[in-house]
Amino acid sequence: MAASLRSSSSLRSRLLSSSSGCSPWRLLLSSPVHSDAPHQTETLAFDEIQLSPEKPPTATAFVLHGLLGSGRNWRSFSRTLASELHNRSPSDEWRMVLVDLRNHGRSAGIKGFDPPHNMSTAANDLADLVKARAWPWPDVVVGHSMGGKVALDFAESCSRGVYGESAVLPKQLWVLDSVPGQVETDNSDGEVERVLQTLASLPSSLPSRKWVVEHMLSLGLSKSLSEWIGSNLKKDNDHVTWAFDLQAAIDMFNSYRERSYWELLEHPPKDLEIAIVQAECSDRWDPDDVQRLKALAKRESKPDAGKVSLHVLPNSGHWVHVDNPKGLLEIMAPNFLSADKS
């Protein structure tokens, strides 16, 4: 395994990424709240999406973005998913909590998220959020790319009692195009590596979102990826800046690349389903990893253990919610946890 990236200069040499008007929908924006957790003054920023916010939710799903992203990247898909789940079962009232992970989105401006910046501390932030808000523990956790490994860490820590006796294990994880083991640099075509290298070379203050998108296009990056990069900017007077802490995100990238959760998939806790979605055209997957997942998914179920399922999303690269959101919905909606089982 290559040495971890610790600075912007080393970043340049070796990089890899994870990562309507008449509608009844209402997006509930929330500011972070104060927490009594040691060494932390506030919890993560998040948005809530619910079809009928005046009704109490019957189940909760946390949605976790990938490296350099934010919860808002998943607003459109989360709305559509919750609507489809409601159509399938009108008594279900899902609440989708779109979290900005530490050093990302609005959480990047929150003090108190001290190093180390890794998958375990990012997962622990979720537990702190639940406790600070006095929420029920999430029934489902959906994670894309780096967020998928945070979801795996969250479930693993819940099962080991890391978050205390009050913690409740999720009943289902959706791990979207996130390799559960160590990520080898040879398994990438280098597109996002070039993105990170470029970000490290740019000044912190930039002319405009349009300029950034055009700059990325000039480097030969795809239009969808360039637009996604541009969506992670925030206004700063007459300029724009990144909605993430790049150096801290590099630390999280190292952890994402190095951590392995095969043990959790080999021995999933009772009553937990881990649903893995592999994007058909993604460059993240080693054939041996795919075969290993297929074998786990075919194992005979045991009453004292959870289960693993594997789904292949056709016509999609790594950015599953952008490349083929309809196909992703068609996989997730019929296989999503039923609220009456939550």
Side-chain angles (χ1 to χ4, degrees):
M1 176 62 64
S4 293
L5 311 177
R6 298 300 173 205
S7 67
S8 294
S9 60
S10 62
L11 181 65
R12 295 185 178 93
S13 62
R14 187 157 190 165
L15 290 166
L16 182 68
S17 173
S18 52
S19 243
S20 60
C22 297
S23 169
W25 285 102
R26 185 185 308 168
L27 176 63
L28 306 178
L29 299 178
S30 178
S31 301
V33 297
H34 292 282
S35 168
D36 293 329
H39 310 300
Q40 187 170 319
T41 58
E42 295 179 304
T43 61
L44 297 167
F46 63 91
D47 295 338
E48 293 179 87
I49 291 178
Q50 192 176 329
L51 180 60
S52 302
E54 71 280 0
K55 297 180 181 179
T58 56
T60 296
F62 278 13
V63 181
L64 313 180
H65 59 82
L67 184 70
L68 304 184
S70 66
R72 68 180 182 178
N73 299 144
W74 284 86
R75 283 180 185 173
S76 178
F77 182 83
S78 297
R79 287 191 188 100
T80 304
L81 175 60
S83 182
E84 179 62 23
L85 294 174
H86 181 77
N87 291 339
R88 288 173 173 269
S89 179
S91 62
D92 289 359
E93 187 64 46
W94 278 92
R95 179 176 65 122
M96 303 291 180
V97 179
L98 282 56
V99 177
D100 285 354
L101 298 173
R102 60 165 53 208
N103 310 311
H104 291 73
R106 288 173 294 144
S107 294
I110 298 174
K111 296 180 180 179
F113 295 110
D114 298 326
H117 301 299
N118 56 40
M119 299 301 92
S120 294
T121 54
N124 190 77
D125 295 338
L126 301 177
D128 286 343
L129 176 60
V130 172
K131 294 173 184 178
R133 287 277 171 172
W135 284 341
W137 291 78
D139 304 286
V140 176
V141 182
V142 179
H144 173 238
S145 197
M146 182 186 74
K149 280 197 168 179
V150 175
L152 290 167
D153 202 292
F154 180 78
E156 183 178 72
S157 296
C158 278
S159 69
R160 292 191 288 110
V162 172
Y163 305 142
E165 295 181 357
S166 66
V168 179
L169 183 73
K171 294 178 176 60
Q172 190 178 56
L173 301 182
W174 282 92
V175 181
L176 308 180
D177 210 53
S178 184
V179 178
Q182 293 181 336
V183 179
E184 301 293 343
T185 56
D186 291 343
N187 293 342
S188 171
D189 66 3
E191 182 176 53
V192 183
E193 297 163 4
R194 296 200 307 275
V195 170
L196 295 178
Q197 183 176 5
T198 301
L199 298 189
S201 67
L202 291 175
S204 58
S205 183
L206 301 159
S208 67
R209 178 181 179 275
K210 180 181 178 182
W211 183 92
V212 171
V213 171
E214 291 179 348
H215 185 65
M216 295 299 168
L217 288 170
S218 72
L219 298 177
L221 301 180
S222 68
K223 186 176 186 297
S224 61
L225 181 54
S226 298
E227 292 284 352
W228 172 79
I229 294 166
S231 73
N232 292 294
L233 291 160
K234 61 182 180 180
K235 194 73 174 174
D236 183 17
N237 296 319
D238 295 333
H239 294 76
V240 293
T241 59
W242 298 113
F244 47 75
D245 181 328
L246 181 58
Q247 186 57 54
I250 292 170
D251 293 342
M252 296 180 72
F253 156 71
N254 287 325
S255 177
Y256 156 78
R257 181 168 56 87
E258 295 164 3
R259 284 296 305 271
S260 174
Y261 297 93
W262 280 116
E263 180 69 21
L264 178 66
L265 271 70
E266 294 280 358
H267 306 284
K270 182 181 178 181
D271 299 325
L272 172 65
E273 178 189 2
I274 304 174
I276 308 288
V277 175
Q278 175 200 358
E280 182 183 39
C281 304
S282 174
D283 63 352
R284 272 47 177 186
W285 296 90
D286 181 274
D288 291 341
D289 290 337
V290 175
Q291 290 304 315
R292 190 172 180 180
L293 282 173
K294 287 180 178 179
L296 291 175
K298 291 179 180 178
R299 285 193 312 189
E300 184 177 351
S301 60
K302 298 180 180 179
D304 60 343
K307 66 177 183 177
V308 173
S309 59
L310 177 63
H311 311 266
V312 178
L313 176 62
N315 304 315
S316 177
H318 182 60
W319 315 100
V320 292
H321 55 309
V322 174
D323 291 348
N324 190 2
K326 183 176 182 291
L328 183 60
L329 182 69
E330 290 172 350
I331 289 174
M332 293 183 66
N335 296 291
F336 213 76
L337 178 74
S338 175
D340 60 12
K341 295 181 180 179
S342 61

